[in-house]
């Protein structure tokens, strides 16, 4: 009985002392990585709550509005563009992993098999759309006016020898139309959700030199909070690196 009372007291004490940290994340791999570090954070007195989103807008909006403490779903170029467009001042506090963007097709095995006027779908947000076009430029499918411009759009295509037809859709919806188009540029988190294997299914994929490391983001007034610092430390452990390498088998790469 005394032991039971001691356990109850300990739980009550933890609940009273624990800092609650609510973090927005897309399902794969972000939410899975956060769930993995929950037990370690609990030992540090942080009650991590993961709120799953399937879009790229609300996680930033809700952190900026102080409805959430942080988010984990985006890379720095996307955050920079979001801050510029929305007037927010969100900041990165840690780089965690890289999700290489890939080009997928349910009809063709190689990029050079794409027929004339083939339909190509790319993300409709500025940074991932530009990222997709840069990948196609590097692969020789098109030529851009400036292949260092990460915000390139279809209007910046200088050469399109096959007269490819480009469509722009919200990144999360692109896997759903894969069988309806000739080529789809898909972010790895959405590719994994759609049961695609980036390592074997992508016709071309970003290399390790990609600048699009996924980051933990919060507000300036929250970046030095003790709970945030503990989350950063928990995400940068050898255990997390091993988890990422073993679970995603190269489709997601540690960036620390």
């Amino acid at each position: 009985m005394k032991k039971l009372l001691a356990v109850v007291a300990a739980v009550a004490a933890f609940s009273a002392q624990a800092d609650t940290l609510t973090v927005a994340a897309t399902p794969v791999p972000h939410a899975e990585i956060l769930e993995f570090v929950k037990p370690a954070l609990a030992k540090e007195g942080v009650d991590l709550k993961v709120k799953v989103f399937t879009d790229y807008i609300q996680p930033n909006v809700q952190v900026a509005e102080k409805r959430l403490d942080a988010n984990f779903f985006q890379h720095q170029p996307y955050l920079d563009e979001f801050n510029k467009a929305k007037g927010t001042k969100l900041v990165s506090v840690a780089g965690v992993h890289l999700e290489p963007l890939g080009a997928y097709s349910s009809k063709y095995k190689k990029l050079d098999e794409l027929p004339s006027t083939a339909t190509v779908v790319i993300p409709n947000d500025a940074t991932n759309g530009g990222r997709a076009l840069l990948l196609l430029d590097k692969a020789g499918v098109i030529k851009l006016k400036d292949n260092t411009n990460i915000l390139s759009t279809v209007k910046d295509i200088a050469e399109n020898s096959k007269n490819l037809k480009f469509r722009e859709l919200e990144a999360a919806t692109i896997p759903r139309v894969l069988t309806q188009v000739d080529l789809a540029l898909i972010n790895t988190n959405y590719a994994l959700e759609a049961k695609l294997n980036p390592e074997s299914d992508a016709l071309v994929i970003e290399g390790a030199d990609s600048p699009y490391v996924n980051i933990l983001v919060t507000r300036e007034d929250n970046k030095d909070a003790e709970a945030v610092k503990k989350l950063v430390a928990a995400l940068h452990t050898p255990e997390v690196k091993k988890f990422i390498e073993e679970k995603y088998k190269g489709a997601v790469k540690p960036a620390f």
Side-chain angles (χ1 to χ4, degrees):
M1 186 64 179
K2 288 183 178 180
K3 288 184 178 180
L4 178 59
L5 290 173
V7 170
V8 171
V11 171
F14 172 78
S15 298
Q17 297 171 8
D19 287 328
T20 299
L21 189 67
T22 306
V23 182
T26 42
V28 181
H30 307 82
E32 293 177 341
I33 294 171
L34 291 174
E35 291 291 344
F36 178 77
V37 302
K38 260 188 178 183
L41 279 172
K43 292 178 182 178
E44 293 290 322
V46 178
D47 180 15
L48 178 64
K49 296 186 182 301
V50 182
K51 188 170 182 181
V52 176
F53 287 80
T54 58
D55 73 284
Y56 285 173
I57 305 298
Q58 283 303 309
N60 275 339
V61 170
Q62 294 195 28
V63 172
E65 294 178 348
K66 299 188 177 182
R67 288 188 277 165
L68 298 172
D69 299 307
N71 66 50
F72 180 33
F73 75 96
Q74 66 195 310
H75 48 64
Q76 189 68 51
Y78 181 88
L79 176 62
D80 291 342
E81 185 63 19
F82 186 92
N83 278 335
K84 181 180 178 181
K86 304 295 185 181
T88 48
K89 295 182 179 180
L90 301 175
V91 296
S92 167
V93 289
V96 182
H97 69 271
L98 172 67
E99 299 172 20
L101 181 86
Y104 300 82
S105 177
S106 62
K107 301 177 181 180
Y108 307 103
K109 299 293 185 183
K110 298 179 181 178
L111 287 175
D112 58 15
E113 294 177 1
L114 287 173
S116 178
T117 72
T119 300
V120 180
V121 178
I122 64 174
N124 66 359
D125 62 275
T127 50
N128 284 304
R131 182 182 180 185
L133 293 173
L134 289 175
L135 180 61
L136 293 177
D137 176 282
K138 189 173 183 178
V141 178
I142 59 171
K143 284 190 178 180
L144 294 169
K145 296 174 184 176
D146 178 3
N147 62 8
T148 65
N149 179 15
I150 63 173
L151 297 180
S152 293
T153 71
V154 292
K155 293 180 180 179
D156 297 311
I157 297 174
E159 292 183 26
N160 182 4
S161 60
K162 289 191 175 183
N163 195 28
L164 302 174
K165 305 300 181 185
F166 286 88
R167 290 174 54 195
E168 297 171 277
L169 294 175
E170 185 180 348
T173 68
I174 293 179
R176 301 176 204 166
V177 302
L178 179 59
T179 60
Q180 304 167 33
V181 301
D182 297 297
L183 191 70
L185 280 291
I186 304 176
N187 296 78
T188 287
N189 57 316
Y190 294 130
L192 292 173
E193 288 176 41
K195 307 303 181 185
L196 293 168
N197 184 329
E199 290 285 282
S200 59
D201 294 335
L203 276 59
V204 63
I205 196 165
E206 288 175 331
D209 58 344
S210 171
Y212 299 96
V213 171
N214 279 227
I215 53 180
L216 180 69
V217 171
T218 187
R219 298 179 304 278
E220 285 188 341
D221 66 358
N222 200 37
K223 66 181 181 180
D224 294 320
E226 196 62 30
V228 172
K229 289 182 178 180
K230 288 178 179 179
L231 175 56
V232 171
L235 289 169
H236 283 178
T237 61
E239 290 78 13
V240 169
K241 180 175 286 189
K242 183 179 180 182
F243 172 79
I244 292 173
E245 291 172 342
E246 292 184 352
K247 184 172 180 64
Y248 303 110
K249 303 185 187 319
V252 177
K253 303 177 186 296
F256 58 92

